[in-house]
Structures are given as structure tokens and as C-alpha cells.
Amino acid sequence: MAIGSKDLAVDKLDGMDNARLNEELANAKKELFNLRFQAATGQLEQHGRLKAVKRDIARIYTILRERELGIREDVVATKTDDKKKTKKKTKKAEDAK
């Protein structure tokens, strides 16, 4: 059984583009900071969470490095939001004509 967050499994991380991975990395680092702060002040209740977050960070770094070296394929970001906005703008423009 792998230790780490269920949300950050390798299958899910592999489907994310690099920008999304960097966002997840930043979030994991913030969480690790908060967990370390809680541990220092004696307020940490889930000690196993520290280990899980550290492994999540390592997993993200590994995927980013593998993509950099060409071992793992890059994922292209989908711009579904931009397409939806474009379609809405087009409909409004047609209604105005």
C-alpha cells in the first residue's frame, strides 16, 4: 500500500499538466509547513500526515523530472474554459447582428 494522499496518486498526477503539478507542489509545501508548525507547537494530531505529504512532494518532483528528461510524456493543458468563453462570445455577437 502506497503512503500518500489518494488525490495525488501517480495515475492522477500523470494526467496533469506541468502548471497544475506546480500548483499541487505549492499546496503540498504549504501543507507541510503548516504540519511542521503544528508539530513544533504540540498541536499535531495526525503524525502520519507528515510522512504522506513528504512523499506527495517527492512524487510530484519525480514526475516533473521524468518529463524534463523525456522518460514520461508531457501532458498538454486543455483549454475547455477558453473554448466555452469563445462560444459564449460568438453567440452574443450573433445575437447583436
Side-chain angles (χ1 to χ4, degrees), residues 5 18 25 32 51 69 95:
S5 301
N18 289 348
L25 181 62
L32 182 61
K51 187 175 184 179
L69 294 174
D95 293 338

Side-chain angles (χ1 to χ4, degrees), residues 29-45 50:
K29 284 184 175 185
K30 287 178 188 176
E31 184 179 359
L32 182 61
F33 173 80
N34 290 332
L35 290 171
R36 284 182 175 163
F37 193 85
Q38 289 175 1
T41 58
Q43 298 174 352
L44 184 62
E45 295 178 4
L50 275 167

Side-chain angles (χ1 to χ4, degrees), residues 23-85:
E23 289 175 20
E24 290 294 331
L25 181 62
N27 291 338
K29 284 184 175 185
K30 287 178 188 176
E31 184 179 359
L32 182 61
F33 173 80
N34 290 332
L35 290 171
R36 284 182 175 163
F37 193 85
Q38 289 175 1
T41 58
Q43 298 174 352
L44 184 62
E45 295 178 4
Q46 298 177 343
H47 296 283
R49 187 72 186 135
L50 275 167
K51 187 175 184 179
V53 173
K54 286 180 184 178
R55 288 194 180 198
D56 289 341
I57 291 170
R59 194 172 290 125
I60 293 169
Y61 273 131
T62 300
I63 290 175
L64 287 171
R65 182 65 177 153
E66 286 176 350
R67 287 182 181 175
E68 186 178 310
L69 294 174
I71 298 170
R72 191 179 295 261
E73 291 184 21
D74 285 340
V75 176
V76 179
T78 58
K79 297 193 178 195
T80 55
D81 295 333
D82 293 341
K83 290 179 183 177
K84 289 178 184 176
K85 290 177 186 176

